[in-house]
Amino acid sequence: MGVCFFFLIFAVQYNQSIRATMRYVDVILPLPLEGLFTYGVSPELVSKVQSGVRVVVPFNKSKRYTAIAVRLHDEKPDFEVKSVIEVLDERPLLLPAQLKLWQWISDYYMAPLGDVMNAALPAGLKNEEGYRPKTETYIGLCKPYQSERSLHIALDMLSRAEKQQKVLTTFLDISGWSEAFGNDSYSLNEKERLNTQFSDTQNVGESDGKGYVAPIAEITREELINESHCTAAVLKSLIDRKVLYTYEREVGRLNLIGVPHPEYIKPLSQPQQDAYNQVLFQFLRKQVVLLHGVTSSGKTEIYIHLIQKTLDEGKQVLYLLPEIALTVQMMERLRRVFGNRLGIYHSRYSDAERVEIWQKQLSGNPYDVILGARSAVFLPMQRLGLVIVDEEHETSFKQQDPAPRYHARSVAIMMGAKVLLGTATPSMETYYNAQQGKFGLVTLSTRYQGIEMPEIQIVDVKDLRRRKMMSGPFSPQLLAAIRKALDEEKQVILFQNRRGFAPMIECKTCGWVPHCKNCDVSLTLHKNTNVLTCHYCGYTYAIPTHCPSCEGTDLRGRGYGTEKIEDQIREIFPEARVARMDLDTTRSRNAYERLIGEFASGRTNVLIGTQMISKGLDFDRVAVVGILDADTMLNYPDFRAYEHAFMMMAQVAGRAGRKGKRGLVLLQTKNKDLPVVRQVVKNDWQGFYEDLLSERRMFNYPPFHHLIYIYMRHKYEHVVESAAIYMGGLLRQWFGERVLGPDKPGVSKVKTMHIRKIVLKLENGIQMQLVREYLKRAHQQILQDKQYAALQIFFDVDPL
C-alpha cells in the first residue's frame, strides 16, 4: 500500500513538473477560421520550434494538420490544450517579412489567416508527407564483372558466335547467361548494342563492399535504353541476373541552364534613357513610381536596365505579369540576359516544381530574379530590392475566388521594396495617386525608334447592317484589310472577348434558351466538343435536337465566340494559317508557349483570341488588328465598364505596327459617337481620365471612395434573401447612407448557391480598422441565428 501511494505521489509531481516546463506555440491552421490556435510544446520539441517552421498538430478528435508556427511563448491558456505532434522543418519555411505580409493581407482583405496560408503555400508544403522529390534510375555494374577486360572479351565473343555462350558462362561465371538474355527473344545485334553502349559509358570504379561498383561515369536507365536501342526486358534480365544494378538519385526539376550575359542588354534610346533617369530620381523620394509609357515605347528595356542595377547592388527583383501567357515571351527575353539567375513561378507549374522554387529561394543560392504571375508575391525573397508590376492596370492581378481576394499590386506595395508600376493605360486609382503625389510619375510618350502609333478607324456596324453589307461579324473594311495583310505576308490579330462557338442557342420558333440548372446563366455552345457548357460551374449538356418548350427543331446559335470566328476566317481565307488563343486552347502548360511561338515565328499568320491577346504580347509582323465587337465591353453593367473597355481596346490596338510600317486597327461598333470611342481613336488617355474622374467624384466611386462588397450565399433563396435584409439593416445602423442594397447581382445563382450583394461606399480617410470591426460583428451576429448556420458570408475589398 505504501509503495502504491509513493508511485502515485511521484506521478503527480512528474506531471506537474511537465506542465511547469511546458511551453506553448501559436500556429496558423490551413482552415478558413479566424485567429491563431495555441498548442503545447513538449520539452523535447521546444528547441526545434521557432517562428516560420511547420508543425503537425491535432485538430478535433481525429484530424491532424500541418500548421505554421508563429510565436513560441510561456503564456498558459485558460483551457486545455493539445500538444504539437511533430516539427517538420529544421529552419523556418517563412521569413519574418512574409508572416508580417500574411497578417496585412488577412486584415486588409478581411480573410482568415488560414485562407492566406492556403493561397500562399504550394500544396506539397501543406501536408506532413511533403512532396516527392523527382528521382532518376541510374545503372551500375555488379562486382563480379568489374574487370573491364573480362567484360570486353565476353562481349566480343558474344558478338562472334552464339555457340560461344557456354565458354562465356564459364569465363564470366554466369550460370544463367543464356537464360538471362533469352535465346529466342532478342537478336545478337540487340545484345551487342546494349552491352557495347554500357561498356563505353560505364567504366569500372571501386566496389562499395556490397557487390556493387561505384561508376566513374554515370548513365540513367532511360539513356541506356534509348541510346542502345534495347528493350526494357533485356535490361531487366541483366538486372535480375546480377550483371547490372540500379540505384535512385534525386534530381532537380528546375532549369538551371544558362550563363548570365549582361552584355546582351541593349543600349537605351534617348527617350528611354531620360525615362530611366527620371525613375531613379523619383525612387530617391518615393517608394512607388508609375511609368506611364505608350504601347511599344520600350518599357521592357527600361525594366531590364533597372533589374541589372538592382542585381549589381546585391538585391533581388520580383517581376510580376498579369497573365501566364506573357511569361513565355518575357522569359526568353530575360533569360538571354540573366541566364540561370532567373526563376519562373506561376500556377501552371506543377506543385513539386513550385515547392523546389520555394526551397531554392530559402537557400544560400536563390534566384536573383523571379518572373511570375500574382501568386509570386508569396515567395520568400531574402534581399528584395525592386518589384516591377507590368501592365499594372490588368484585372488579372486581382484574385477573385477563393479567398483571400487580394490585389497583387497592393500586396507588392506592402513588401517593403521599391515598386515600379508600368503600363500604357493606368488604372484610375494608380493615376490619381500619381497625380496627387503619393506615387512618383514618369511619362514615356513616344514609341521606340519613332514608330507611329497605329491608325485606328471606326467602322459603323449599325449602318453596315442596315445596308446588309456585313458578312457575319466582319465588315467589308476588315475583310479587305485582312486580305491585304495576308497578300503582303503580314499578320493579323482578331479580338473577340467571348470564347466558345456561340454565347447561347435559341429556338427560332418560341425563343427558348437553355440555361444551366446550377447557375443563373445561359449555356455557351462549344462546337469543337459538341456540348453546351456553363462557364461558371463547368457543367456540360448535350446539344438538344428539339425545343423542349414547343418541340421545334430550328435551334440556332446566337452571337459569335472565338470558335465561330475561327471557322469563318478559315472559310473566307482558306490559305490563312489560323490559331486561336483563349481559355479552351491554353489549358495545358505548354499551350501558351506553342501558340505564341508559332505566331511569333510566322508559322501562323492569323491569331484570334480573347483578352489574353491584349496583354503586352510583342509581335513584329502584325499589320492589322480587328476589334470585332466593342459594344459588348462598353455596355457591360458596371461602373468600371468604360475604364476596362478603353484599356482593353487601347492595349489590343497597341499590338499593331510595333516594328516598321504603321499598323491599322479597325474598331467595329454600333455606337461610333460615344466619347470613349473617340478617345480610343485619338489615344487621348488624359481626356478620358478627366471625364471619368468627374463622374467618379459625382457618384462617390474610387478613387474618391473605397468599396467593399458583402456577398451572401445559401442553397435556399428565401434564406439568403432574409439574411441579406437583416445584414443590410445592421450595417445601416452604423454606416447609414453608405450602404446600398441588398440586391441580386448580375448572376444571382452559381453552383446551386443563391447570391445577394450589399455595397459599402466609404469615403477616403475613414477609420478602416473600425469598419472591419463592425463588419465582423455583423457577420458573427447573423451566424448566431440557427436558420443562418449554413449561410456563407464573404467580403470583397476594393473589388474590380
Side-chain angles (χ1 to χ4, degrees), residues 76-96:
K76 185 180 183 303
D78 54 2
F79 53 85
E80 185 176 352
V81 296
K82 297 179 180 180
S83 295
V84 170
I85 299 170
E86 184 182 358
V87 180
L88 298 179
D89 303 309
E90 295 181 359
R91 62 179 185 179
L93 193 72
L94 291 182
L95 302 174

Side-chain angles (χ1 to χ4, degrees), residues 30-32 105 109-112 114-121 126 347 374-375 378 396-407 536 711 713 751 792-797:
L31 299 171
I105 294 172
Y109 292 103
M110 302 186 67
D115 282 339
V116 181
M117 175 181 172
N118 278 325
L121 293 182
K126 289 182 288 190
S347 59
R374 64 172 178 259
S375 59
F378 293 113
S396 302
F397 280 125
K398 181 74 160 69
Q399 166 74 8
Q400 300 299 334
D401 281 312
R405 294 168 180 83
Y406 67 95
H407 198 300
Y536 282 81
Y711 288 98
R713 295 193 292 208
K751 297 180 181 178
Q792 298 176 11
I793 302 176
F794 63 89
F795 307 97
D796 190 1
V797 180

Side-chain angles (χ1 to χ4, degrees), residues 121-124 252-256 324-325 327-328 330-332 335 342-358 360 367 369-373 375-376 379 586-593:
L121 293 182
R253 295 176 172 86
L254 308 180
N255 182 6
L256 302 178
I324 295 171
T327 64
V328 176
M330 194 58 65
M331 176 182 67
E332 296 304 322
R335 185 155 282 164
L342 173 71
I344 315 296
Y345 189 84
H346 54 64
S347 59
R348 288 295 174 95
Y349 272 25
S350 69
D351 183 68
E353 286 172 311
R354 282 182 283 160
V355 169
E356 288 194 14
I357 293 173
W358 188 287
K360 181 173 174 61
Y367 288 118
V369 184
I370 288 289
L371 175 68
S375 59
L379 276 176
T586 56
R587 295 187 186 276
S588 67
R589 171 176 164 179
N590 296 321
Y592 290 105
E593 186 172 353

Side-chain angles (χ1 to χ4, degrees), residues 293-484:
V294 297
T295 57
S296 195
S297 58
K299 294 186 291 294
T300 303
E301 291 303 326
I302 296 175
Y303 300 157
I304 291 174
H305 279 254
L306 289 169
I307 292 171
Q308 186 61 52
K309 182 179 186 301
T310 305
L311 299 188
D312 291 342
E313 295 170 354
K315 299 178 182 178
Q316 293 172 295
V317 177
L318 176 61
Y319 192 139
L320 297 177
L321 290 169
E323 282 282 352
I324 295 171
L326 292 183
T327 64
V328 176
Q329 276 198 331
M330 194 58 65
M331 176 182 67
E332 296 304 322
R333 294 182 70 174
L334 296 182
R335 185 155 282 164
R336 283 196 296 268
V337 177
F338 302 109
N340 56 15
R341 302 180 77 176
L342 173 71
I344 315 296
Y345 189 84
H346 54 64
S347 59
R348 288 295 174 95
Y349 272 25
S350 69
D351 183 68
E353 286 172 311
R354 282 182 283 160
V355 169
E356 288 194 14
I357 293 173
W358 188 287
Q359 292 178 332
K360 181 173 174 61
Q361 291 309 100
L362 290 171
S363 71
N365 184 33
Y367 288 118
D368 292 319
V369 184
I370 288 289
L371 175 68
R374 64 172 178 259
S375 59
V377 296
F378 293 113
L379 276 176
M381 304 290 283
Q382 302 178 56
R383 299 172 280 104
L384 185 62
L386 174 66
V387 182
I388 297 171
V389 185
D390 198 10
E391 309 295 347
E392 67 82 24
H393 64 278
E394 278 292 344
T395 57
S396 302
F397 280 125
K398 181 74 160 69
Q399 166 74 8
Q400 300 299 334
D401 281 312
R405 294 168 180 83
Y406 67 95
H407 198 300
R409 179 186 62 212
S410 301
V411 175
I413 291 172
M414 299 304 297
M415 295 178 75
K418 298 293 184 182
V419 179
L420 181 65
L421 309 176
T423 179
T425 53
S427 67
M428 292 297 294
E429 290 87 339
T430 297
Y431 199 72
Y432 179 77
N433 284 331
Q435 291 286 345
Q436 297 299 306
K438 183 176 180 181
F439 298 165
L441 175 61
V442 176
T443 302
L444 187 58
S445 57
T446 59
R447 278 188 152 191
Y448 183 64
Q449 294 183 338
I451 296 172
E452 288 185 275
M453 294 293 291
E455 177 189 358
I456 303 179
Q457 295 180 5
I458 299 175
V459 179
D460 187 353
V461 173
K462 184 166 63 176
D463 179 61
L464 291 173
R465 289 202 186 281
R466 181 179 58 81
R467 293 191 284 161
K468 298 182 179 180
M469 296 179 65
M470 292 289 291
S471 299
F474 307 111
S475 64
Q477 298 95 315
L478 180 58
L479 292 177
I482 294 173
R483 167 58 61 199
K484 183 180 179 183

Side-chain angles (χ1 to χ4, degrees), residues 34-89:
E34 294 288 345
L36 302 175
F37 293 80
T38 303
Y39 287 85
V41 184
S42 61
E44 56 269 22
L45 292 181
V46 165
S47 61
K48 299 180 180 179
V49 175
Q50 55 181 311
S51 178
V53 300
R54 292 174 300 160
V55 294
V56 180
V57 296
F59 191 78
N60 289 336
K61 293 183 179 180
S62 58
K63 293 184 178 180
R64 45 197 280 170
Y65 289 99
T66 299
I68 296 291
V70 175
R71 186 174 72 97
L72 185 68
H73 58 87
D74 300 309
E75 303 161 15
K76 185 180 183 303
D78 54 2
F79 53 85
E80 185 176 352
V81 296
K82 297 179 180 180
S83 295
V84 170
I85 299 170
E86 184 182 358
V87 180
L88 298 179
D89 303 309

